[in-house]
Amino acid sequence: MNFKLRLNHNKQLLLAMFSALSIGCSSQTDPFIETRQEVAGFVTLDGEPLKEGLIRFVPVEGTPGPKTSVKIENGTYLIESRYGPVAGTHRVEVESTDDGGFARDDETALKHLEENNIKKIDVILVPEKYGANSPLKAIVKENETNEFEFQLQR
């Protein structure tokens, strides 16, 4: 077998293996789909709705399942049940960006700021204490309304 034929054969073999792997992976279902719950709520910082950020539910105290997160906009958040946290106890982490939603190296964002004559970006920082070591907890209940309000302080 010459080199070109062997290389072509190896490419075909690799392609077949990756195709089989991707088919196998895509047919897997979420093992937690039956216990995931919808959660919604409101987040304030110093009494004002958190303009934008991220809220994350991290399973703790023996609660199985993955952590889940969703964007906070104008204080509100909603995670639909198909993506929601599983029933059980969760540590709740809250983050916001310190760039006002505009990364310094994002050319599109910089152009938007310039075109709209925006000179100052409001920066809202959520204290680190609400991050990975957050004291916030939520007990997500199965087949019940799970609404949580978190009042953060600087």
Side-chain angles (χ1 to χ4, degrees):
M1 186 182 281
N2 72 27
F3 179 74
K4 278 189 172 182
L5 285 175
R6 202 171 352 158
L7 186 61
N8 192 28
H9 175 72
N10 287 343
K11 282 183 183 178
Q12 289 175 344
L13 183 60
L14 281 172
L15 182 61
M17 286 176 17
F18 283 122
S19 296
L21 281 174
S22 65
I23 290 170
C25 291
S26 66
S27 65
Q28 292 178 351
T29 59
D30 179 355
F32 300 101
I33 195 71
E34 297 300 319
T35 57
R36 288 182 180 267
Q37 306 298 311
E38 180 175 291
V39 294
F42 201 71
V43 179
T44 60
L45 179 61
D46 297 331
E48 298 294 322
L50 183 61
K51 187 174 178 181
E52 63 180 61
L54 178 79
I55 188 164
R56 183 178 299 114
F57 289 78
V58 181
V60 294
E61 300 176 13
T63 299
K67 56 186 166 185
T68 59
S69 59
V70 71
K71 193 173 183 179
I72 300 167
E73 292 182 358
N74 298 314
T76 61
Y77 65 91
L78 169 68
I79 307 177
E80 296 176 10
S81 61
R82 65 182 171 186
Y83 304 113
V86 297
T89 305
H90 297 264
R91 180 181 69 246
V92 178
E93 302 172 358
V94 179
E95 298 176 12
S96 67
T97 58
D98 62 358
D99 59 9
F102 297 98
R104 295 180 199 277
D105 60 351
D106 183 343
E107 294 298 323
T108 304
L110 294 173
K111 185 176 178 182
H112 169 77
L113 294 172
E114 186 177 319
E115 287 173 355
N116 292 289
N117 201 29
I118 298 172
K119 304 271 186 223
K120 181 181 177 212
I121 300 171
D122 290 328
V123 176
I124 300 171
L125 292 174
V126 171
E128 280 187 43
K129 67 181 176 183
Y130 299 111
N133 296 312
S134 175
L136 304 175
K137 287 203 177 176
I139 298 175
V140 176
K141 298 187 178 182
E142 195 166 359
N143 301 321
E144 291 188 27
T145 300
N146 289 292
E147 292 183 359
F148 304 101
E149 183 174 336
F150 299 101
Q151 299 174 358
L152 313 181
Q153 299 294 319
R154 283 189 236 229

PDB file of all heavy atoms in Angstrom, residues 12-13 19 22 27 32 34 37 45 51-52 73 77 82 88 92 96 101-102 111 115 138 147 153:
ATOM      1  N   GLN A  12     -10.218   8.243   6.469  1.00  0.00           N
ATOM      2  CA  GLN A  12     -11.565   7.675   6.449  1.00  0.00           C
ATOM      3  C   GLN A  12     -11.873   6.945   7.752  1.00  0.00           C
ATOM      4  O   GLN A  12     -12.975   7.040   8.280  1.00  0.00           O
ATOM      5  CB  GLN A  12     -11.718   6.729   5.256  1.00  0.00           C
ATOM      6  CG  GLN A  12     -11.756   7.441   3.928  1.00  0.00           C
ATOM      7  CD  GLN A  12     -11.787   6.476   2.757  1.00  0.00           C
ATOM      8  OE1 GLN A  12     -11.499   5.284   2.901  1.00  0.00           O
ATOM      9  NE2 GLN A  12     -12.130   6.994   1.581  1.00  0.00           N
ATOM     10  N   LEU A  13     -10.907   6.237   8.272  1.00  0.00           N
ATOM     11  CA  LEU A  13     -11.083   5.518   9.533  1.00  0.00           C
ATOM     12  C   LEU A  13     -11.338   6.502  10.681  1.00  0.00           C
ATOM     13  O   LEU A  13     -12.245   6.310  11.485  1.00  0.00           O
ATOM     14  CB  LEU A  13      -9.853   4.650   9.821  1.00  0.00           C
ATOM     15  CG  LEU A  13      -9.915   3.775  11.068  1.00  0.00           C
ATOM     16  CD1 LEU A  13     -11.076   2.795  10.973  1.00  0.00           C
ATOM     17  CD2 LEU A  13      -8.613   3.020  11.244  1.00  0.00           C
ATOM     18  N   SER A  19     -17.497  10.151  13.739  1.00  0.00           N
ATOM     19  CA  SER A  19     -18.931  10.136  13.454  1.00  0.00           C
ATOM     20  C   SER A  19     -19.670   9.245  14.440  1.00  0.00           C
ATOM     21  O   SER A  19     -20.713   9.603  14.975  1.00  0.00           O
ATOM     22  CB  SER A  19     -19.194   9.652  12.032  1.00  0.00           C
ATOM     23  OG  SER A  19     -18.647  10.553  11.106  1.00  0.00           O
ATOM     24  N   SER A  22     -19.762  10.989  17.857  1.00  0.00           N
ATOM     25  CA  SER A  22     -20.689  12.114  17.957  1.00  0.00           C
ATOM     26  C   SER A  22     -22.134  11.634  17.951  1.00  0.00           C
ATOM     27  O   SER A  22     -22.982  12.196  18.626  1.00  0.00           O
ATOM     28  CB  SER A  22     -20.449  13.120  16.833  1.00  0.00           C
ATOM     29  OG  SER A  22     -20.749  12.548  15.586  1.00  0.00           O
ATOM     30  N   SER A  27     -27.022  11.148  21.356  1.00  0.00           N
ATOM     31  CA  SER A  27     -28.222  10.397  21.702  1.00  0.00           C
ATOM     32  C   SER A  27     -28.384  10.247  23.212  1.00  0.00           C
ATOM     33  O   SER A  27     -29.401   9.761  23.680  1.00  0.00           O
ATOM     34  CB  SER A  27     -28.183   9.011  21.036  1.00  0.00           C
ATOM     35  OG  SER A  27     -27.104   8.262  21.570  1.00  0.00           O
ATOM     36  N   PHE A  32     -30.535  13.991  34.746  1.00  0.00           N
ATOM     37  CA  PHE A  32     -31.234  14.753  35.785  1.00  0.00           C
ATOM     38  C   PHE A  32     -32.508  15.420  35.279  1.00  0.00           C
ATOM     39  O   PHE A  32     -33.156  16.152  36.028  1.00  0.00           O
ATOM     40  CB  PHE A  32     -30.292  15.816  36.368  1.00  0.00           C
ATOM     41  CG  PHE A  32     -29.073  15.215  36.991  1.00  0.00           C
ATOM     42  CD1 PHE A  32     -27.866  15.216  36.320  1.00  0.00           C
ATOM     43  CD2 PHE A  32     -29.135  14.624  38.246  1.00  0.00           C
ATOM     44  CE1 PHE A  32     -26.738  14.647  36.892  1.00  0.00           C
ATOM     45  CE2 PHE A  32     -28.015  14.050  38.822  1.00  0.00           C
ATOM     46  CZ  PHE A  32     -26.818  14.060  38.140  1.00  0.00           C
ATOM     47  N   GLU A  34     -35.529  14.629  34.866  1.00  0.00           N
ATOM     48  CA  GLU A  34     -36.760  14.422  35.632  1.00  0.00           C
ATOM     49  C   GLU A  34     -36.780  15.198  36.947  1.00  0.00           C
ATOM     50  O   GLU A  34     -37.848  15.442  37.500  1.00  0.00           O
ATOM     51  CB  GLU A  34     -36.969  12.930  35.910  1.00  0.00           C
ATOM     52  CG  GLU A  34     -37.171  12.084  34.663  1.00  0.00           C
ATOM     53  CD  GLU A  34     -38.383  12.502  33.835  1.00  0.00           C
ATOM     54  OE1 GLU A  34     -39.436  12.811  34.435  1.00  0.00           O
ATOM     55  OE2 GLU A  34     -38.279  12.525  32.590  1.00  0.00           O
ATOM     56  N   GLN A  37     -35.786  21.635  38.063  1.00  0.00           N
ATOM     57  CA  GLN A  37     -36.922  22.475  38.407  1.00  0.00           C
ATOM     58  C   GLN A  37     -36.739  23.880  37.843  1.00  0.00           C
ATOM     59  O   GLN A  37     -35.620  24.362  37.710  1.00  0.00           O
ATOM     60  CB  GLN A  37     -37.062  22.576  39.938  1.00  0.00           C
ATOM     61  CG  GLN A  37     -37.139  21.247  40.650  1.00  0.00           C
ATOM     62  CD  GLN A  37     -38.341  20.426  40.243  1.00  0.00           C
ATOM     63  OE1 GLN A  37     -39.460  20.941  40.222  1.00  0.00           O
ATOM     64  NE2 GLN A  37     -38.138  19.160  39.905  1.00  0.00           N
ATOM     65  N   LEU A  45     -28.911  44.810  44.789  1.00  0.00           N
ATOM     66  CA  LEU A  45     -27.626  45.167  45.370  1.00  0.00           C
ATOM     67  C   LEU A  45     -27.806  46.524  46.013  1.00  0.00           C
ATOM     68  O   LEU A  45     -28.155  47.498  45.334  1.00  0.00           O
ATOM     69  CB  LEU A  45     -26.535  45.220  44.300  1.00  0.00           C
ATOM     70  CG  LEU A  45     -25.138  45.605  44.773  1.00  0.00           C
ATOM     71  CD1 LEU A  45     -24.605  44.597  45.804  1.00  0.00           C
ATOM     72  CD2 LEU A  45     -24.175  45.713  43.599  1.00  0.00           C
ATOM     73  N   LYS A  51     -28.503  45.437  37.791  1.00  0.00           N
ATOM     74  CA  LYS A  51     -28.721  45.732  36.371  1.00  0.00           C
ATOM     75  C   LYS A  51     -28.439  44.526  35.481  1.00  0.00           C
ATOM     76  O   LYS A  51     -29.247  44.149  34.650  1.00  0.00           O
ATOM     77  CB  LYS A  51     -27.869  46.925  35.960  1.00  0.00           C
ATOM     78  CG  LYS A  51     -28.139  47.419  34.573  1.00  0.00           C
ATOM     79  CD  LYS A  51     -27.355  48.689  34.310  1.00  0.00           C
ATOM     80  CE  LYS A  51     -27.586  49.166  32.898  1.00  0.00           C
ATOM     81  NZ  LYS A  51     -26.824  50.375  32.607  1.00  0.00           N
ATOM     82  N   GLU A  52     -27.268  43.953  35.669  1.00  0.00           N
ATOM     83  CA  GLU A  52     -26.939  42.755  34.900  1.00  0.00           C
ATOM     84  C   GLU A  52     -25.927  41.925  35.664  1.00  0.00           C
ATOM     85  O   GLU A  52     -25.128  42.443  36.430  1.00  0.00           O
ATOM     86  CB  GLU A  52     -26.433  43.083  33.504  1.00  0.00           C
ATOM     87  CG  GLU A  52     -25.155  43.867  33.466  1.00  0.00           C
ATOM     88  CD  GLU A  52     -24.722  44.161  32.039  1.00  0.00           C
ATOM     89  OE1 GLU A  52     -25.462  44.815  31.313  1.00  0.00           O
ATOM     90  OE2 GLU A  52     -23.615  43.717  31.689  1.00  0.00           O
ATOM     91  N   GLU A  73     -31.046  40.167  34.460  1.00  0.00           N
ATOM     92  CA  GLU A  73     -31.273  41.417  33.740  1.00  0.00           C
ATOM     93  C   GLU A  73     -32.276  42.246  34.516  1.00  0.00           C
ATOM     94  O   GLU A  73     -33.384  41.775  34.793  1.00  0.00           O
ATOM     95  CB  GLU A  73     -31.784  41.143  32.327  1.00  0.00           C
ATOM     96  CG  GLU A  73     -30.747  40.483  31.437  1.00  0.00           C
ATOM     97  CD  GLU A  73     -31.243  40.253  30.027  1.00  0.00           C
ATOM     98  OE1 GLU A  73     -32.410  40.568  29.729  1.00  0.00           O
ATOM     99  OE2 GLU A  73     -30.456  39.742  29.221  1.00  0.00           O
ATOM    100  N   TYR A  77     -34.318  37.028  37.053  1.00  0.00           N
ATOM    101  CA  TYR A  77     -33.730  35.855  36.409  1.00  0.00           C
ATOM    102  C   TYR A  77     -34.786  34.762  36.326  1.00  0.00           C
ATOM    103  O   TYR A  77     -35.738  34.733  37.099  1.00  0.00           O
ATOM    104  CB  TYR A  77     -32.496  35.344  37.169  1.00  0.00           C
ATOM    105  CG  TYR A  77     -32.798  34.812  38.548  1.00  0.00           C
ATOM    106  CD1 TYR A  77     -33.096  33.465  38.744  1.00  0.00           C
ATOM    107  CD2 TYR A  77     -32.814  35.653  39.657  1.00  0.00           C
ATOM    108  CE1 TYR A  77     -33.386  32.975  40.009  1.00  0.00           C
ATOM    109  CE2 TYR A  77     -33.102  35.167  40.915  1.00  0.00           C
ATOM    110  CZ  TYR A  77     -33.389  33.835  41.093  1.00  0.00           C
ATOM    111  OH  TYR A  77     -33.689  33.342  42.334  1.00  0.00           O
ATOM    112  N   ARG A  82     -36.100  22.678  32.060  1.00  0.00           N
ATOM    113  CA  ARG A  82     -35.209  21.769  31.325  1.00  0.00           C
ATOM    114  C   ARG A  82     -33.731  22.097  31.550  1.00  0.00           C
ATOM    115  O   ARG A  82     -32.869  21.267  31.313  1.00  0.00           O
ATOM    116  CB  ARG A  82     -35.546  21.758  29.847  1.00  0.00           C
ATOM    117  CG  ARG A  82     -35.315  23.059  29.158  1.00  0.00           C
ATOM    118  CD  ARG A  82     -35.716  22.986  27.717  1.00  0.00           C
ATOM    119  NE  ARG A  82     -35.666  24.321  27.152  1.00  0.00           N
ATOM    120  CZ  ARG A  82     -36.063  24.613  25.956  1.00  0.00           C
ATOM    121  NH1 ARG A  82     -36.546  23.678  25.185  1.00  0.00           N
ATOM    122  NH2 ARG A  82     -35.982  25.842  25.518  1.00  0.00           N
ATOM    123  N   GLY A  88     -33.281  20.138  45.694  1.00  0.00           N
ATOM    124  CA  GLY A  88     -32.305  19.968  46.764  1.00  0.00           C
ATOM    125  C   GLY A  88     -31.718  21.297  47.193  1.00  0.00           C
ATOM    126  O   GLY A  88     -32.209  22.364  46.819  1.00  0.00           O
ATOM    127  N   VAL A  92     -25.860  29.597  46.312  1.00  0.00           N
ATOM    128  CA  VAL A  92     -26.182  30.531  45.237  1.00  0.00           C
ATOM    129  C   VAL A  92     -25.047  31.540  45.101  1.00  0.00           C
ATOM    130  O   VAL A  92     -24.671  32.200  46.068  1.00  0.00           O
ATOM    131  CB  VAL A  92     -27.516  31.251  45.510  1.00  0.00           C
ATOM    132  CG1 VAL A  92     -27.812  32.264  44.411  1.00  0.00           C
ATOM    133  CG2 VAL A  92     -28.646  30.236  45.628  1.00  0.00           C
ATOM    134  N   SER A  96     -21.319  39.930  38.727  1.00  0.00           N
ATOM    135  CA  SER A  96     -21.613  40.936  37.713  1.00  0.00           C
ATOM    136  C   SER A  96     -20.303  41.304  37.046  1.00  0.00           C
ATOM    137  O   SER A  96     -19.230  41.024  37.579  1.00  0.00           O
ATOM    138  CB  SER A  96     -22.270  42.174  38.320  1.00  0.00           C
ATOM    139  OG  SER A  96     -21.367  42.855  39.146  1.00  0.00           O
ATOM    140  N   GLY A 101     -20.490  45.724  30.963  1.00  0.00           N
ATOM    141  CA  GLY A 101     -20.989  44.967  29.820  1.00  0.00           C
ATOM    142  C   GLY A 101     -20.174  45.179  28.557  1.00  0.00           C
ATOM    143  O   GLY A 101     -20.508  44.641  27.517  1.00  0.00           O
ATOM    144  N   PHE A 102     -19.099  45.972  28.643  1.00  0.00           N
ATOM    145  CA  PHE A 102     -18.279  46.253  27.475  1.00  0.00           C
ATOM    146  C   PHE A 102     -16.829  45.892  27.772  1.00  0.00           C
ATOM    147  O   PHE A 102     -16.157  46.570  28.541  1.00  0.00           O
ATOM    148  CB  PHE A 102     -18.355  47.736  27.094  1.00  0.00           C
ATOM    149  CG  PHE A 102     -19.734  48.179  26.697  1.00  0.00           C
ATOM    150  CD1 PHE A 102     -20.554  48.820  27.611  1.00  0.00           C
ATOM    151  CD2 PHE A 102     -20.215  47.930  25.431  1.00  0.00           C
ATOM    152  CE1 PHE A 102     -21.827  49.224  27.253  1.00  0.00           C
ATOM    153  CE2 PHE A 102     -21.491  48.322  25.066  1.00  0.00           C
ATOM    154  CZ  PHE A 102     -22.298  48.973  25.979  1.00  0.00           C
ATOM    155  N   LYS A 111     -16.896  50.616  19.373  1.00  0.00           N
ATOM    156  CA  LYS A 111     -17.516  51.383  18.293  1.00  0.00           C
ATOM    157  C   LYS A 111     -18.905  51.859  18.714  1.00  0.00           C
ATOM    158  O   LYS A 111     -19.267  53.014  18.472  1.00  0.00           O
ATOM    159  CB  LYS A 111     -17.617  50.517  17.029  1.00  0.00           C
ATOM    160  CG  LYS A 111     -18.130  51.252  15.830  1.00  0.00           C
ATOM    161  CD  LYS A 111     -18.117  50.370  14.594  1.00  0.00           C
ATOM    162  CE  LYS A 111     -18.680  51.132  13.415  1.00  0.00           C
ATOM    163  NZ  LYS A 111     -18.728  50.306  12.223  1.00  0.00           N
ATOM    164  N   GLU A 115     -20.033  55.713  18.820  1.00  0.00           N
ATOM    165  CA  GLU A 115     -21.158  56.167  17.995  1.00  0.00           C
ATOM    166  C   GLU A 115     -22.267  56.798  18.825  1.00  0.00           C
ATOM    167  O   GLU A 115     -22.959  57.696  18.370  1.00  0.00           O
ATOM    168  CB  GLU A 115     -21.731  54.994  17.189  1.00  0.00           C
ATOM    169  CG  GLU A 115     -20.846  54.550  16.058  1.00  0.00           C
ATOM    170  CD  GLU A 115     -21.342  53.281  15.383  1.00  0.00           C
ATOM    171  OE1 GLU A 115     -22.330  52.678  15.858  1.00  0.00           O
ATOM    172  OE2 GLU A 115     -20.735  52.885  14.376  1.00  0.00           O
ATOM    173  N   ALA A 138     -30.315  28.223  48.633  1.00  0.00           N
ATOM    174  CA  ALA A 138     -31.693  28.058  48.171  1.00  0.00           C
ATOM    175  C   ALA A 138     -32.040  26.581  48.241  1.00  0.00           C
ATOM    176  O   ALA A 138     -31.239  25.736  47.851  1.00  0.00           O
ATOM    177  CB  ALA A 138     -31.835  28.557  46.735  1.00  0.00           C
ATOM    178  N   GLU A 147     -39.329  30.419  43.788  1.00  0.00           N
ATOM    179  CA  GLU A 147     -38.982  31.820  43.567  1.00  0.00           C
ATOM    180  C   GLU A 147     -38.113  32.278  44.724  1.00  0.00           C
ATOM    181  O   GLU A 147     -38.479  32.101  45.887  1.00  0.00           O
ATOM    182  CB  GLU A 147     -40.234  32.678  43.451  1.00  0.00           C
ATOM    183  CG  GLU A 147     -41.024  32.376  42.199  1.00  0.00           C
ATOM    184  CD  GLU A 147     -42.248  33.267  42.027  1.00  0.00           C
ATOM    185  OE1 GLU A 147     -42.507  34.130  42.902  1.00  0.00           O
ATOM    186  OE2 GLU A 147     -42.948  33.101  41.027  1.00  0.00           O
ATOM    187  N   GLN A 153     -25.577  43.084  49.705  1.00  0.00           N
ATOM    188  CA  GLN A 153     -25.065  44.337  50.268  1.00  0.00           C
ATOM    189  C   GLN A 153     -23.577  44.445  49.971  1.00  0.00           C
ATOM    190  O   GLN A 153     -22.861  43.462  50.031  1.00  0.00           O
ATOM    191  CB  GLN A 153     -25.274  44.366  51.797  1.00  0.00           C
ATOM    192  CG  GLN A 153     -26.725  44.287  52.234  1.00  0.00           C
ATOM    193  CD  GLN A 153     -27.532  45.502  51.829  1.00  0.00           C
ATOM    194  OE1 GLN A 153     -27.063  46.621  51.918  1.00  0.00           O
ATOM    195  NE2 GLN A 153     -28.755  45.279  51.360  1.00  0.00           N
TER     196      GLN A 153
END
